Amino acid sequence: MDPVTIVGNPVSPYVRKVLAACALKGVEVQLDPIVGLMGNEDFGRISPLRRIPVWVEGDVTLCDSSVIVQYIEETRPGPSLWPADPVERAKARWLEEFADTRLFDVLGWRLFFEIALKPRFFGEEIDQAKVEHARDVELPGILDYLEGVVPESGFLFGALSMADLSVAPAFVNAGAVQVNVDPARWPKLAAWLERVETETPLGPLNKLARALMRTPAHAHRDRLPEFGFVPASRSWGGGEVRRGPMTPQ
């Protein structure tokens, strides 16, 4: 196999999702830890939406974390990333879709992006009304749903799968802006998140993400070896901040 480069910063839940899949399958990667908002012209060519992660392997370039995970599943040996039973596999893929869309729309775009990224990258004020509505109105219903889905013990479909590794990552970003799961109100969800943190490859990746959140962006590449990652030989990063075509205004 050609060397694999993952373009994207592990602060992104989608990047951690792909890196966790690589860890389960034993895929060695080099990492270019750029923020999608800071990609150069070449990044715009390999990622038309200017989003991360991007998989670069020889002549193969893939966007979208779900597409990348499925490619890993189909091209690498090792434990399956999905439940064997067709019904459970379909349910697992639904939870991946739910995490990629509705969950990240609230935890990622309306909370983490609004509070942490918009002021930093665009110099714009936080929309407090948007934040409060997401946190106080939208999020509780999402957490109620997940509380009814997660198991009392173990993982979502018995063995660890992409369902677990898709739903859990964005909660780290929410925690970074002081939005956490109340264990008194959502005890099963809080306990499941703790299991994913302590018993899966996502735990070390979350530690990396938290470290990078506290590190200036220009030093992110230098931190990678501390966490066992080889920096990519080239970078798709640039010096100009750009919104992608689907980045919220």
Side-chain angles (χ1 to χ4, degrees), residues 110-122:
R110 302 186 195 189
L111 292 172
F112 184 71
F113 175 82
E114 188 68 34
I115 297 170
L117 300 187
K118 193 169 77 168
R120 176 180 177 184
F121 285 99
F122 299 106

Side-chain angles (χ1 to χ4, degrees), residues 80-89 157 161:
S80 177
L81 301 177
W82 301 99
D85 177 77
V87 173
E88 291 194 338
R89 189 161 61 246
F157 296 95
S161 75

Side-chain angles (χ1 to χ4, degrees), residues 102 105-106 110-111 127-142:
R102 178 59 175 157
D105 187 45
V106 174
R110 302 186 195 189
L111 292 172
D127 186 333
Q128 293 292 348
K130 180 187 291 187
V131 168
E132 291 172 8
H133 189 269
R135 183 191 63 214
D136 301 334
V137 178
E138 297 183 87
L139 183 57
I142 292 172

Side-chain angles (χ1 to χ4, degrees), residues 3-8 30-34 38-47 54 56-58 61 221 224 230-238:
V4 173
T5 297
I6 301 295
V7 182
Q30 298 178 346
L31 191 58
D32 177 21
I34 71 164
M38 296 290 292
N40 60 20
E41 288 294 333
D42 284 345
F43 177 70
R45 283 188 276 272
I46 65 172
S47 179
V54 181
V56 181
E57 181 186 13
T61 302
R221 287 176 65 88
L224 296 181
V230 176
S233 57
R234 64 158 295 184
S235 178
W236 283 261

Side-chain angles (χ1 to χ4, degrees), residues 40-210:
N40 60 20
E41 288 294 333
D42 284 345
F43 177 70
R45 283 188 276 272
I46 65 172
S47 179
L49 299 182
R50 304 191 71 82
R51 288 189 172 182
I52 53 177
V54 181
W55 171 284
V56 181
E57 181 186 13
D59 294 332
V60 177
T61 302
L62 302 172
C63 301
D64 186 87
S65 63
S66 298
V67 171
I68 294 170
V69 165
Q70 193 57 33
Y71 178 76
I72 295 170
E73 175 77 336
E74 294 173 357
T75 59
R76 264 65 180 184
S80 177
L81 301 177
W82 301 99
D85 177 77
V87 173
E88 291 194 338
R89 189 161 61 246
K91 291 179 178 179
R93 286 185 168 135
W94 151 246
L95 287 173
E96 181 192 30
E97 175 65 16
F98 181 80
D100 286 356
T101 54
R102 178 59 175 157
L103 181 64
F104 188 77
D105 187 45
V106 174
L107 293 184
W109 290 121
R110 302 186 195 189
L111 292 172
F112 184 71
F113 175 82
E114 188 68 34
I115 297 170
L117 300 187
K118 193 169 77 168
R120 176 180 177 184
F121 285 99
F122 299 106
E124 298 172 4
E125 293 186 1
I126 298 170
D127 186 333
Q128 293 292 348
K130 180 187 291 187
V131 168
E132 291 172 8
H133 189 269
R135 183 191 63 214
D136 301 334
V137 178
E138 297 183 87
L139 183 57
I142 292 172
L143 301 186
D144 287 344
Y145 170 68
L146 292 175
E147 177 75 8
V149 170
V150 298
E152 294 279 358
S153 61
F155 300 113
L156 280 163
F157 296 95
L160 180 66
S161 75
M162 290 312 303
D164 304 280
L165 300 175
S166 299
V167 174
F171 285 94
V172 171
N173 298 67
V177 292
Q178 308 304 310
V179 177
N180 296 292
V181 175
D182 181 356
R185 183 170 178 182
W186 297 286
K188 289 200 303 177
L189 179 58
W192 170 80
L193 285 169
E194 179 64 23
R195 288 195 297 276
V196 175
E197 178 79 20
T198 59
E199 301 177 21
T200 82
L202 200 57
L205 294 169
N206 289 343
K207 291 180 182 178
L208 170 58
R210 294 184 183 102

